[in-house]
Amino acid sequence: MLTVVRTADAPAAERREELHRLFAAEQTSVSAGIRRRRLDRCRRDLADPALSGLAVGTVGGRWGLPDSAHFSRLFRAAFGVPPSDYRRMSLNPVAASQALGARVRAPMVARGHTEGHESGPSGRRRHEDRPQ
């Protein structure tokens, strides 16, 4: 078992090996585990109304993800939405329901289900629907 005393007394190579063994037991790598904790902390901060004044990129930077494009890609891969959308949805439940509704309707149009929609199967307005 990894303890503070044992870790402090062990040579660096042994500490690294022990750390990798612990993460392997969780079926992940050390870097993936650290990245996941950082993303979890970012998600928590994005949902915090007290931090809503911070830019999304600043939130990522606070937790060791200073490149906002990279942060956005990692966040979307982990949680299914970009960090800006997550913030909007968590701070405004009405926006969340609207965003979810749009995601449900969009595939229907793409598959040609246009009932109740102004567009044709291609997702574009039909010629006869265009304003004159």
Side-chain angles (χ1 to χ4, degrees):
M1 171 181 255
L2 191 63
T3 65
V4 175
V5 173
R6 183 170 162 210
T7 302
D9 291 341
E14 287 180 28
R15 289 191 306 254
R16 263 194 312 278
E17 288 173 17
E18 181 71 15
L19 192 57
H20 285 284
R21 272 195 299 276
L22 289 169
F23 276 88
E26 299 286 326
Q27 297 183 356
T28 190
S29 67
V30 174
S31 61
I34 292 169
R35 184 173 38 253
R36 182 59 190 215
R37 286 190 71 172
R38 288 177 176 179
L39 288 169
D40 286 340
R41 299 261 173 24
C42 290
R43 182 175 60 170
R44 183 194 64 200
D45 284 0
L46 289 169
D48 186 346
L51 300 175
S52 65
L54 289 178
V56 169
T58 302
V59 171
R62 285 175 49 147
W63 292 106
L65 300 163
D67 180 332
S68 34
H70 183 64
F71 166 54
S72 187
R73 283 190 300 272
L74 288 174
F75 193 94
R76 176 178 264 193
F79 304 115
V81 294
S84 56
D85 288 357
Y86 179 81
R87 171 179 267 172
R88 191 172 24 262
M89 289 187 298
S90 37
L91 296 177
N92 184 349
V94 173
S97 65
Q98 290 171 346
L100 290 174
R103 290 181 188 184
V104 169
R105 285 191 301 274
M108 298 296 285
V109 171
R111 289 192 301 255
H113 301 286
T114 59
E115 186 177 322
H117 296 279
E118 289 184 4
S119 58
S122 68
R124 298 186 199 149
R125 285 185 160 190
R126 294 186 296 261
H127 179 72
E128 62 273 10
D129 290 339
R130 290 188 185 142
Q132 297 298 330

